[in-house]
């Protein structure tokens, strides 16, 4: 019997508390190194036992077990092994998340966020969720669902990861459901960068479904103002420009601030850029005076990476359709290179 196998024998609910706590501390220490994580993964019962310890009556034991699982699943070299062996760890995390009385719902979300970064992990997770995905969206949208104080912000990262799968995007974009309509309200959510960023990752991936651009920009979803509002500042416009803007962007006031995270600003602009892949999207953005918001953002923006995306977007928005020449920039092949290069570089991602 190896040392790890011997150690794992003490990672059980029945083990005496002091012995169990010591074994768990040693296990947690091993998760701090790549070699240690590999040894733990190679011992089949370790992950299973750690999942069981999430329900230990001693809070410190349950918390340490959750930290060990977060560390193990954060190693991308190991996630394929974890999910390839079955969905038991996924099922355990989902059960915790749906339990409004469980104190470790947030760590459970983090574990699923780690596991779903790979395509295989996302596929296994969606397989476990199935048609219940909407149930988890419901839980996410209820900010006080968990009665022990868990905020479930990392579910946004899970949804973003899942949206790399075409079947998930189809599910989210199904007009007979209201999944997307509820999720877009979090693009300007002030209390969590994780929640904002995760939902924007999902939205950006959904924007690659060009056949759904009319739905995304319809009154049912009303996506454009949700993407533009975080990019808008306190600048005042004349009456003519204001009247052309979406209602939510008119007369914002001097206390209006822009999204502070440059990575999120970049995602917002990438989503808008992808909406410009279709003639319908480009014309809709122009009709809603998107340019004036982008113009003022360009004066304010200092981050070079954000500026690069912003300038690509402005270059598309200000052009006439006869200069572009094609309805769908993603599908046509003879579009001028300076227009198409941005779209060819983008693809649905985590």
């Amino acid at each position: 019997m190896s040392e790890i196998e011997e150690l794992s024998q003490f990672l059980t609910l029945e083990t005496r508390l002091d012995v169990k706590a010591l074994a768990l501390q040693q296990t947690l220490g091993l998760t701090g190194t790549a070699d240690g994580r590999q040894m733990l993964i190679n011992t089949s019962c370790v992950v299973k036992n750690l999942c069981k310890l999430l329900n230990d009556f001693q809070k410190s034991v349950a918390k340490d077990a959750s930290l060990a699982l977060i560390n193990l699943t954060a190693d991308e070299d190991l996630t394929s092994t974890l999910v390839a062996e079955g969905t038991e760890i996924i099922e355990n995390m989902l059960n915790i998340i749906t339990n409004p009385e469980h104190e470790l719902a947030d760590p459970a979300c983090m574990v699923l966020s780690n596991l779903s970064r790979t395509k295989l992990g996302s596929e296994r997770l969606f397989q476990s969720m199935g048609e219940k995905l909407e149930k988890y969206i419901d839980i996410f949208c209820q900010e006080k669902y968990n009665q022990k104080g868990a905020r479930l912000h990392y579910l946004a990262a899970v949804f973003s990861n899942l949206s790399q799968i075409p079947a998930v995007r189809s599910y989210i974009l199904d007009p007979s459901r209201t999944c997307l309509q509820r999720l877009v309200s979090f693009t300007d959510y002030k209390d969590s960068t994780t929640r904002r960023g995760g939902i924007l990752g999902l939205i950006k991936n959904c924007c690659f479904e060009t056949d759904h651009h009319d739905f995304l920009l319809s009154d049912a979803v009303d996506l454009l103002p949700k993407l533009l509002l975080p990019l808008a500042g306190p600048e005042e416009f004349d009456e003519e420009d204001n009247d052309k803007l979406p209602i939510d962007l008119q007369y914002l006031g001097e206390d209006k601030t822009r999204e502070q995270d440059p990575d999120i600003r970049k995602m917002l602009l990438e989503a808008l850029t992808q909406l410009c892949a279709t003639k319908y999207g480009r014309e809709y953005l122009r009709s809603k005076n998107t340019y004036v918001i982008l113009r003022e953002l360009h004066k304010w923006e200092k981050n070079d990476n954000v500026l690069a995306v912003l300038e690509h977007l402005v270059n598309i928005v200000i052009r006439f359709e006869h200069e572009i020449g094609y309805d769908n920039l993603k599908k046509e092949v003879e579009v001028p290179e300076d227009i198409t290069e941005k779209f060819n570089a983008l693809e649905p991602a985590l």
Side-chain angles (χ1 to χ4, degrees):
M1 182 182 293
S2 70
E3 291 182 8
I4 303 298
E5 288 174 326
E6 186 176 352
L7 181 65
S8 68
Q9 290 183 327
F10 301 111
L11 300 175
T12 67
L13 294 170
E14 297 78 18
T15 302
R16 202 176 72 206
L17 179 57
D18 58 336
V19 176
K20 176 169 46 182
L22 181 59
L24 193 51
Q25 282 297 312
Q26 292 177 328
T27 302
L28 190 54
L30 286 168
T31 65
T33 67
D35 289 342
R37 291 191 292 272
Q38 188 66 61
M39 286 191 293
L40 290 170
I41 291 297
N42 289 341
T43 306
S44 59
C45 59
V46 168
V47 171
K48 181 178 180 180
N49 288 353
L50 287 171
C51 287
K52 290 181 178 179
L53 287 180
L54 295 176
N55 296 307
D56 197 279
F57 73 94
Q58 185 68 31
K59 291 182 180 180
S60 60
V61 169
K63 183 178 179 180
D64 283 348
S66 72
L67 292 174
L69 285 168
I70 290 170
N71 289 349
L72 284 171
T73 55
D75 191 329
E76 290 192 46
D77 294 332
L78 302 179
T79 52
S80 295
T81 303
L82 283 168
V83 297
E85 293 177 354
T87 59
E88 185 174 359
I89 183 173
I90 291 174
E91 298 290 349
N92 273 282
M93 299 306 115
L94 290 176
N95 287 336
I96 289 173
I97 290 167
T98 56
N99 181 357
E101 298 287 340
H102 209 294
E103 296 183 354
L104 295 176
D106 279 339
C109 292
M110 294 178 192
V111 170
L112 290 184
S113 174
N114 288 341
L115 289 174
S116 59
R117 285 178 300 175
T118 65
K119 185 179 180 183
L120 176 61
S122 285
E123 289 171 343
R124 287 296 176 88
L125 177 54
F126 186 48
Q127 176 186 340
S128 294
M129 286 181 164
E131 286 299 312
K132 292 182 180 179
L133 174 56
E134 193 164 9
K135 171 185 176 182
Y136 296 96
I137 292 174
D138 287 338
I139 289 172
F140 175 78
C141 292
Q142 299 175 50
E143 293 186 62
K144 295 183 179 179
Y145 174 84
N146 185 281
Q147 298 172 22
K148 298 296 183 179
R151 302 298 302 277
L152 308 180
H153 294 321
Y154 272 86
L155 265 183
V158 174
F159 297 149
S160 178
N161 292 345
L162 285 173
S163 68
Q164 67 183 298
I165 304 172
V168 173
R169 297 197 294 275
S170 295
Y171 185 103
I172 296 291
L173 288 165
D174 185 345
S176 68
R177 298 185 173 95
T178 57
C179 298
L180 195 59
Q181 290 92 317
R182 284 174 289 165
L183 292 174
V184 295
S185 64
F186 294 104
T187 57
D188 201 29
Y189 185 81
K190 301 300 184 185
D191 293 341
S192 171
T193 302
T194 300
R195 185 172 283 244
R196 290 200 311 279
I199 294 306
L200 280 166
L202 175 145
I203 289 170
K204 186 181 83 169
N205 284 348
C206 286
C207 288
F208 283 88
E209 300 295 331
T210 53
D211 292 342
H212 289 82
H213 279 188
D214 55 343
F215 173 62
L216 290 168
L217 295 170
S218 69
D219 290 341
V221 180
D222 202 24
L223 182 58
L224 183 60
K226 305 296 193 305
L227 297 176
L228 288 178
L229 190 60
L231 299 173
E235 295 83 9
E236 295 183 4
F237 301 111
D238 61 35
E239 188 172 343
E240 181 180 358
D241 274 336
N242 257 313
D243 288 345
K244 293 178 183 177
L245 287 168
I247 294 293
D248 292 347
L249 279 94
Q250 295 180 11
Y251 305 103
L252 293 178
E254 60 184 18
D255 59 344
K256 175 65 175 71
T257 59
R258 290 184 171 89
E259 168 61 55
Q260 292 299 302
D261 188 293
D263 291 330
I264 292 181
R265 294 198 302 276
K266 184 170 177 281
M267 277 196 289
L268 288 160
L269 291 167
E270 286 172 341
L272 289 165
T273 300
Q274 192 52 39
L275 288 173
C276 287
T278 58
K279 181 179 180 181
Y280 177 84
R282 295 190 296 274
E283 291 183 336
Y284 188 85
L285 264 64
R286 294 184 190 114
S287 72
K288 295 299 180 180
N289 212 12
T290 298
Y291 171 72
V292 299
I293 301 296
L294 302 179
R295 181 191 68 201
E296 297 306 314
L297 174 63
H298 191 270
K299 297 175 184 177
W300 175 89
E301 185 61 64
K302 298 293 187 275
N303 184 284
D304 289 340
N305 292 328
V306 179
L307 278 170
V309 180
L310 174 57
E311 288 167 4
H312 274 292
L313 175 57
V314 169
N315 188 36
I316 296 168
V317 171
I318 64 175
R319 290 203 179 198
F320 295 106
E321 281 303 309
H322 73 266
E323 296 179 286
I324 296 174
Y326 293 93
D327 285 357
N328 192 327
L329 300 185
K330 189 68 176 175
K331 294 180 179 177
E332 300 295 344
V333 293
E334 297 181 356
V335 185
E337 182 179 350
D338 63 326
I339 293 289
T340 59
E341 62 182 358
K342 184 64 181 175
F343 298 102
N344 292 334
L346 292 172
E347 61 182 36
L350 301 182

